Amino acid sequence: MRVLGIESSCDETGIAIYDTEKGLLADVLYSQIELHMEYGGVVPELASRDHVRKTLPLIQEALQLAGLKKADIDGVAYTAGPGLIGALLVGASIGRSLAWTWGIPAVAVHHMEGHLLAPMLEDDVPEFPFVALLVSGGHTMLVQVDGVGHYRLLGDTVDDAAGEAFDKTAKLLGLAYPGGPAISALAEQGNPDRFRFPRPMTNRPGLDFSFSGLKTFAVNTLAENGNDEQTKADIALAFEVAVVETMVIKCRRVLKQTGLKRLVLAGGVSANRRLRQQLAELVQGHGAQLYYPRPEFCTDNGAMIAYAGSVRLQAGQTEPLAIQAKARWSLAALHPV
Ligand code: KG4
Ligand code: ZN
């Protein structure tokens, strides 16, 4: 089965074609980063308008790259939430309508399920059950995954998501959007002994996260120490170390609590090198295994949507003609496959 995947939940138009026998046949991405950069973050209305412009030409490009015709596609998968509602409606409307005119089934994909299953696009695939740390611009979750659609939410953020904390702190330091890679790059010049940021919610039991206090800590540290370049680099490093260590502490806890030996890391923040390194050390000490997608499949992309959609389509799931998108959508509410 060949599935066309459409991702448009935020500031990336991602289109891919996944073949359930041959794997990924095409994967194209248009990032709107430059469009939003001057505003320091994503402007929802501009995002929707750009998805409208880019989606069909990118679908045409993906078909050409794969050497396929429209008639070779057996199903369409599109991100239906969570995300920016206008942006989601573009992908959902185009995806659902194409499937109708092509006479093939369509399936609505949960964006975070896409991230969660992205490691399945790699050679070394994690077997179920596993625990997943899902860290993106909008979410920070620890999930026990017993199968596709069998998700138990074990931990969540009580305020900002991990990526959001990176983005807000980067803005404060005068860095460009998106903040994650910018903070990591600046942190390389940082002095590790200058500042120590707190590790929020680690001194009490539980698997929830809170990152908004770290941003406030960065505001105060900057105010007290001046904003010369070295101070900014020292803050970037102390912030990154604190976020990463906090996530590592929670992952240690979740491995212990569940007794599971496989940890999956996914979502935009999973591209973070320090986080990958430290989690690799953690799992080693637990006789466990760490899985994560290649960097381009950590951030938003069409491949993960095409893959997740292919699993659901193969299980017989389809969408009715009424087009639906949801800005908020709980991962735990998904149908088991
Ligand atoms: O998954 P994603 O592309 O979009 C959402 O679903 O939100 O994640 C984007 C987030 C942004 O907040 C960005 O700053 C963060 O992922 N990010 C990183 C890195 N690369 C992207 N955060 C930390 N380190 C990185 N290398
Ligand atoms: Zn995402």
Side-chain angles (χ1 to χ4, degrees):
M1 175 183 239
R2 293 195 199 98
V3 179
L4 173 72
I6 304 174
E7 157 61 33
S8 72
S9 67
C10 190
D11 58 346
E12 254 110 25
T13 318
I15 305 293
I17 300 168
Y18 182 80
D19 185 317
T20 50
E21 260 140 52
K22 296 184 189 150
L24 201 59
L25 302 181
D27 175 38
V28 289
L29 186 81
Y30 178 81
S31 171
Q32 304 177 350
I33 282 177
E34 277 184 25
L35 178 71
H36 301 291
M37 214 169 229
E38 64 173 297
Y39 305 98
V42 179
V43 182
E45 181 62 24
L46 295 182
S48 314
R49 291 177 188 211
D50 210 48
H51 287 305
V52 167
R53 278 192 288 269
K54 297 293 173 351
T55 304
L56 285 175
L58 281 174
I59 291 174
Q60 187 181 39
E61 190 182 330
L63 284 167
Q64 275 164 2
L65 279 173
L68 297 175
K69 293 190 276 303
K70 294 169 205 156
D72 298 322
I73 301 297
D74 305 302
V76 180
Y78 52 85
T79 305
L84 303 172
I85 193 66
L88 289 165
L89 281 168
V90 175
S93 303
I94 293 177
R96 188 66 198 86
S97 305
L98 279 180
W100 192 37
T101 50
W102 292 349
I104 55 176
V107 67
V109 174
H110 190 294
H111 181 77
M112 297 312 290
E113 179 171 76
H115 277 304
L116 179 64
L117 299 178
M120 305 296 183
L121 291 161
E122 304 301 346
D123 292 336
D124 188 15
V125 168
E127 275 175 39
F128 300 113
F130 56 76
V131 275
L133 173 65
L134 288 181
V135 275
S136 70
H139 294 87
T140 307
M141 298 189 268
L142 277 166
V143 187
Q144 179 168 334
V145 180
D146 294 324
V148 176
H150 297 260
Y151 306 132
R152 220 174 313 166
L153 187 60
L154 302 177
D156 204 347
T157 180
V158 298
D159 43 53
D160 291 352
E164 189 179 359
F166 268 100
D167 295 338
K168 287 180 176 173
T169 303
K171 201 167 180 179
L172 184 80
L173 296 175
L175 301 174
Y177 174 83
I183 290 215
S184 290
L186 184 61
E188 301 215 352
Q189 320 300 324
N191 169 2
D193 301 320
R194 178 129 176 245
F195 302 121
R196 186 185 158 82
F197 277 42
R199 275 63 169 154
M201 294 181 79
T202 53
N203 57 4
R204 55 180 121 154
L207 296 168
D208 285 339
F209 300 88
S210 164
F211 290 114
S212 69
L214 286 179
K215 181 196 58 201
T216 313
F217 202 87
V219 173
N220 295 337
T221 309
L222 198 62
E224 285 160 16
N225 293 276
N227 60 357
D228 58 286
E229 283 312 303
Q230 189 57 51
T231 298
K232 285 186 191 170
D234 297 344
I235 290 175
L237 179 58
F239 169 84
E240 186 180 45
V241 165
V243 172
V244 167
E245 207 177 294
T246 301
M247 293 196 275
V248 170
I249 291 169
K250 300 286 169 157
C251 285
R252 182 179 301 127
R253 248 180 229 177
V254 81
L255 287 176
K256 212 167 150 200
Q257 186 178 311
T258 60
L260 291 171
K261 294 287 183 199
R262 285 177 290 271
L263 177 65
V264 162
L265 174 62
V269 183
S270 68
N272 186 277
R273 219 169 333 134
R274 185 180 302 275
L275 179 61
R276 290 174 168 215
Q277 273 164 6
Q278 299 215 355
L279 285 179
E281 283 169 30
L282 171 75
V283 297
Q284 223 174 16
H286 274 77
Q289 284 261 49
L290 179 67
Y291 301 85
Y292 45 73
R294 70 192 83 165
E296 61 266 39
F297 292 163
C298 289
T299 44
D300 292 349
N301 63 86
M304 66 184 194
I305 302 304
Y307 175 78
S310 76
V311 176
R312 290 193 170 272
L313 282 167
Q314 281 191 304
Q317 196 177 317
T318 55
E319 273 303 292
L321 281 180
I323 296 163
Q324 276 196 59
K326 294 175 237 185
R328 294 173 150 272
W329 186 5
S330 160
L331 191 65
L334 294 184
H335 294 298
V337 168

